[in-house]
Amino acid sequence: MQDIVKSLLVLIVATLLSAMFDTLGFAESNVIAVYIFGVLLISTTTNNRV
């Protein structure tokens, strides 16, 4: 259950950060990089598969 909460929290933060980047006019590749970093963070901080 903790892994699901961590995953959701990371994805929510990544989504908010990506929305901010999009609003500020950053390139689409930067938005994609934020999500990739989020997935990397999830994979290193969780113990089990969700």
Side-chain angles (χ1 to χ4, degrees), residues 31-48:
V31 174
I32 295 169
V34 169
Y35 278 108
I36 292 172
F37 179 70
V39 171
L40 177 67
L41 192 61
I42 289 170
S43 70
T44 58
T45 59
T46 56
N47 296 321
N48 300 319

Side-chain angles (χ1 to χ4, degrees), residues 3-15:
D3 289 342
I4 293 173
V5 173
K6 285 180 189 177
S7 298
L8 286 175
L9 184 63
V10 169
L11 289 176
I12 289 170
V13 170
T15 301

Side-chain angles (χ1 to χ4, degrees), residues 22-33:
D22 189 44
T23 303
L24 293 174
F26 282 75
E28 187 176 334
S29 59
N30 291 328
V31 174
I32 295 169

